[in-house]
């Protein structure tokens, strides 16, 4: 018996140096008007690699803090570039000048605009970043919205086909006055994607990065799938369903994120490009797939399309699945999840 205990102690002792230097690190912070979260497993092997892959002689904890900082900085960098609320952002520059002339933009923003345009095409304009031509007239905090006549006046400016992208020159041009664009339906997913590849490059194999309703995952969590909760659409701090996932991204779009209610009608942040009004077909849409950027944009897209058309679109795209909560709080799944 004593021998066994001795052996156990020796075994524990042998394991200690490894166990002590391998652990989960977590950090939450506010960016892009929402809460972001990063969580990753850092062990001995990943300890000696920095973001660019070169050798670093820092302590385990310092190493983790440096990674957390680089994730935070990446999110803030993207916010600086793509926020419509920052005058200095590249996006604001486009909105000020692109109706008058072709505006030179970074390759990074160009590529994201290109992706947004691709999703607009495959969704028949349900996803349309020019929704903002009217979208900016809503203020959910102050509970104000455009009148029907100002919606009708601005509606022709919602038209993604009026955006010209020139790849050789890396320019964007609007062929219509009054067009404004906004990347709220895709930028957070893109930021998650960037942060995950940053962690991966640093040798991390198990991680979660989220920005609001957009989550991306590397690997699993302690040998089991991550359990990602989909918010209950009407009860705060409650989860409607938990989804086990590994190496996937999931984004949820809901009518409860930014909204106000007037005369019993919910005015919220997802806009039907055909009407300039909030979409009221379903209350929550989650899309699952490998690419966080696409998953983000597609959750907004399916929300606009509604149950039948939204599921039809997802069922045509083999790399993506969807979970929809309808107005009666019923859950619906795309083919691959049934
Ligand atoms: P998400 O947070 O991904 O659900 O997307 C909602 C955000 O997408 C809104 O806050 C707007 O910034 C933007 N958005 C709203 N309606 C549309 C639309 N029809 N197409 C593209 N983006 C939209
Ligand atoms: Mg989305």
């Amino acid at each position: 018996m004593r021998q066994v205990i001795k052996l156990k102690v020796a075994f524990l002792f042998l394991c200690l140096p490894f166990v002590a230097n391998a652990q989960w690190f977590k950090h939450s912070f506010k960016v892009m008007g929402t809460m972001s979260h990063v969580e990753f497993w850092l062990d001995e092997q990943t300890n000696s690699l920095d973001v660019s892959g070169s050798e670093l002689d820092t302590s385990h904890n310092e190493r983790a803090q440096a990674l957390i900082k680089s994730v935070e900085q990446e999110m803030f960098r993207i916010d600086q570039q793509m926020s419509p609320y920052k005058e200095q952002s590249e996006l604001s520059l486009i909105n000020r000048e692109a109706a008058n002339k072709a505006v030179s933009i970074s390759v990074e923003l160009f590529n994201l605009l290109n992706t947004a345009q691709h999703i607009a095409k495959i969704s028949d304009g349900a996803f349309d970043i020019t929704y903002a031509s009217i979208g900016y007239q809503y203020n959910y905090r102050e509970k104000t919205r455009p009148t029907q006549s100002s919606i009708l006046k601005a509606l022709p400016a919602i038209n993604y086909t009026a955006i010209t992208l020139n790849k050789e020159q890396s320019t964007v041009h609007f062929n219509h006055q009054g067009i404004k664009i906004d990347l709220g339906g895709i930028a957070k997913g893109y930021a998650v994607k960037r942060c995950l590849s940053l962690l991966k490059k640093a040798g991390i194999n198990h991680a979660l990065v989220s920005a609001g309703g957009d989550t991306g995952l590397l690997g699993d969590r302690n040998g089991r799938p991550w359990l990602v909760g989909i918010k209950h659409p009407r009860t705060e701090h409650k989860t409607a369903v938990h989804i086990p996932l590994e190496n996937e991204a999931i984004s949820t779009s809901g009518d409860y994120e930014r909204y106000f209610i007037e005369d019993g009608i919910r005015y919220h942040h997802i806009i039907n490009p055909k009407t300039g009004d909030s979409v009221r077909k379903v209350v929550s849409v989650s899309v699952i797939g490998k690419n966080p950027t696409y998953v983000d944009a597609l959750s907004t897209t399916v929300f606009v399309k509604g149950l039948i058309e939204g599921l039809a679109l997802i069922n045509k795209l083999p790399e993506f699945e969807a979970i929809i909560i309808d107005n009666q709080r019923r859950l619906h799944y795309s083919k691959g999840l049934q």
Side-chain angles (χ1 to χ4, degrees):
M1 185 67 187
R2 226 192 205 153
Q3 197 66 18
V4 173
I5 291 172
K6 258 190 197 163
L7 267 174
K8 272 187 181 167
V9 170
F11 178 72
L12 258 179
F13 199 70
L14 271 174
C15 290
L16 258 178
F18 303 100
V19 174
N21 254 0
Q23 59 171 298
W24 288 100
F25 288 89
K26 295 180 190 183
H27 180 61
S28 298
F29 56 100
K30 217 177 161 187
V31 63
M32 300 182 181
T34 188
M35 279 315 285
S36 275
H37 184 71
V38 55
E39 190 172 336
F40 55 84
W41 175 256
L42 188 64
D43 59 26
E44 287 282 296
Q45 273 179 317
T46 49
N47 193 27
S48 59
L49 286 171
D50 79 355
V51 178
S52 60
S54 60
E55 291 289 317
L56 255 188
D57 188 25
T58 49
S59 79
H60 198 64
N61 195 46
E62 273 174 47
R63 176 76 196 113
Q65 296 314 317
L67 277 175
I68 285 171
K69 195 161 180 204
S70 56
V71 164
E72 213 175 315
Q73 278 172 346
E74 183 61 2
M75 291 258 187
F76 279 102
R77 185 189 68 79
I78 292 167
D79 189 32
Q80 289 293 331
Q81 185 182 24
M82 302 184 185
S83 168
Y85 307 108
K86 295 185 166 57
E87 256 184 58
Q88 303 302 319
S89 73
E90 231 183 325
L91 187 104
S92 295
L93 173 79
I94 295 174
N95 279 338
R96 272 195 305 273
E97 296 184 355
N100 303 321
K101 61 174 192 207
V103 178
S104 268
I105 56 170
S106 63
V107 172
E108 182 178 26
L109 187 52
F110 184 93
N111 289 339
L112 192 61
L113 291 181
N114 216 19
T115 304
Q117 290 294 79
H118 174 64
I119 293 164
K121 270 182 217 131
I122 64 168
S123 70
D124 227 345
F127 188 83
D128 186 337
I129 55 174
T130 68
Y131 91 90
S133 311
I134 291 176
Y136 289 144
Q137 295 184 42
Y138 287 86
N139 188 324
Y140 304 99
R141 218 174 281 164
E142 293 180 3
K143 305 185 183 192
T144 55
R145 61 188 177 91
T147 61
Q148 196 52 30
S149 74
S150 59
I151 287 183
L152 288 177
K153 209 170 133 213
L155 209 47
I158 300 188
N159 176 9
Y160 73 94
T161 66
I163 300 176
T164 303
L165 295 174
N166 182 318
K167 194 168 167 61
E168 283 71 44
Q169 314 276 329
S170 193
T171 59
V172 54
H173 184 47
F174 300 157
N175 311 329
H176 193 284
Q177 288 294 326
I179 290 189
K180 299 278 181 253
I181 59 167
D182 179 85
L183 297 173
I186 192 169
K188 291 199 295 295
Y190 174 70
V192 165
K193 185 181 177 180
R194 291 279 311 188
C195 293
L196 281 185
S197 36
L198 177 159
L199 290 172
K200 203 164 184 187
K201 266 192 205 155
I204 299 288
N205 296 316
H206 306 272
L208 176 152
V209 176
S210 71
D214 305 295
T215 303
L217 307 165
L218 285 182
D220 57 19
R221 200 180 195 291
N222 296 335
R224 290 194 193 147
W226 294 85
L227 271 190
V228 182
I230 295 176
K231 273 190 190 170
H232 189 287
R234 293 293 177 265
T235 315
E236 242 186 292
H237 309 301
K238 210 174 146 186
T239 303
V241 54
H242 280 103
I243 315 288
L245 293 171
E246 286 173 32
N247 273 318
E248 298 267 359
I250 176 167
S251 281
T252 300
S253 294
D255 65 1
Y256 49 85
E257 286 294 343
R258 282 194 282 143
Y259 74 96
F260 62 90
I261 291 175
E262 189 187 302
D263 298 332
I265 298 170
R266 182 179 287 252
Y267 295 92
H268 68 89
H269 67 144
I270 303 174
I271 304 294
N272 184 345
K274 294 198 169 69
T275 63
D277 189 11
S278 304
V279 196
R280 300 184 190 89
K281 299 169 187 166
V282 297
V283 297
S284 164
V285 172
S286 301
V287 171
I288 300 167
K290 295 278 177 212
N291 185 329
T293 314
Y294 269 78
V295 159
D296 182 8
L298 284 173
S299 70
T300 315
T301 305
V302 172
F303 195 103
V304 174
K305 284 205 166 275
L307 183 60
I308 308 290
E309 281 186 39
L311 280 182
L313 173 67
I314 290 295
N315 286 334
K316 271 199 301 194
L317 305 172
E319 291 154 51
F320 302 98
E321 300 298 336
I323 299 159
I324 301 180
I325 308 179
D326 69 18
N327 283 326
Q328 273 76 50
R329 320 266 163 87
R330 283 182 305 230
L331 281 162
H332 303 264
Y333 298 90
S334 62
K335 269 189 194 153
L337 294 177
Q338 280 163 11

